[in-house]
Amino acid sequence: MLHPLVPALIMTPICPHSLSFRPIVLPDSVKLKLRVAETSRGTAWISFDGRNRRELQPGDYVVISGSPCPFPTIAMEDDTREWFTSLGHCLNWNVRVAQKPLERQSPKM
C-alpha cells in the first residue's frame, strides 16, 4: 500500500510459487529489466493490471519504468485526507461490530 503522492513503483508478484517472492517498492526513476533465463525449463507469463497476459519465452525480457507523464488524480478534498478516508472505509478501520452482552452464569453449588 502506497500513498498516491509518493513517487514510486510497486512490483507485486501475483500467485508466486514461493513465499520468498514479496512486493517491492522502488523509486520512480528506476528502470527494471526482468528476463526469463535462457536455461529456463519453461516459459513465464506477465500481465499488467491483470490484463493482456503475455507469454515470455526463455531469453525474453521486459523493461519496466515510470512514466515521464504522471497520471493526474482528482480529489474532492485534500488528497491525503481523501485517501486515508477511503482506505479506512475499505479496510474497516475503527469500525466496531456491536456485540451481544455476556450472559452471567449463576455460581454452581
Side-chain angles (χ1 to χ4, degrees):
M1 187 174 326
L2 192 66
H3 189 279
L5 295 179
V6 174
L9 297 173
I10 303 174
M11 190 174 74
T12 307
I14 306 298
C15 301
H17 298 285
S18 169
L19 291 177
S20 64
F21 293 100
R22 301 284 184 202
I24 185 169
V25 177
L26 301 164
D28 66 346
S29 59
V30 75
K31 277 196 175 181
L32 191 62
K33 184 175 182 179
L34 300 175
R35 173 186 219 114
V36 180
E38 295 277 353
T39 58
S40 175
R41 293 181 290 163
T43 61
W45 290 88
I46 191 164
S47 72
F48 303 94
D49 292 331
R51 300 171 192 243
N52 301 327
R53 190 171 80 139
R54 302 280 186 227
E55 187 173 18
L56 299 177
Q57 301 295 325
D60 288 350
Y61 65 91
V62 62
V63 177
I64 302 167
S65 64
S67 171
C69 305
F71 187 78
T73 57
I74 299 172
M76 299 294 285
E77 304 175 22
D78 169 40
D79 288 341
T80 300
R81 178 180 303 243
E82 189 169 310
W83 186 74
F84 276 110
T85 301
S86 175
L87 194 59
H89 178 72
C90 291
L91 298 177
N92 293 321
W93 285 350
N94 205 23
V95 173
R96 183 181 168 106
V97 177
Q99 299 176 352
K100 296 178 184 178
L102 289 175
E103 294 181 17
R104 297 200 181 254
Q105 297 179 356
S106 58
K108 295 183 181 180
M109 292 194 186

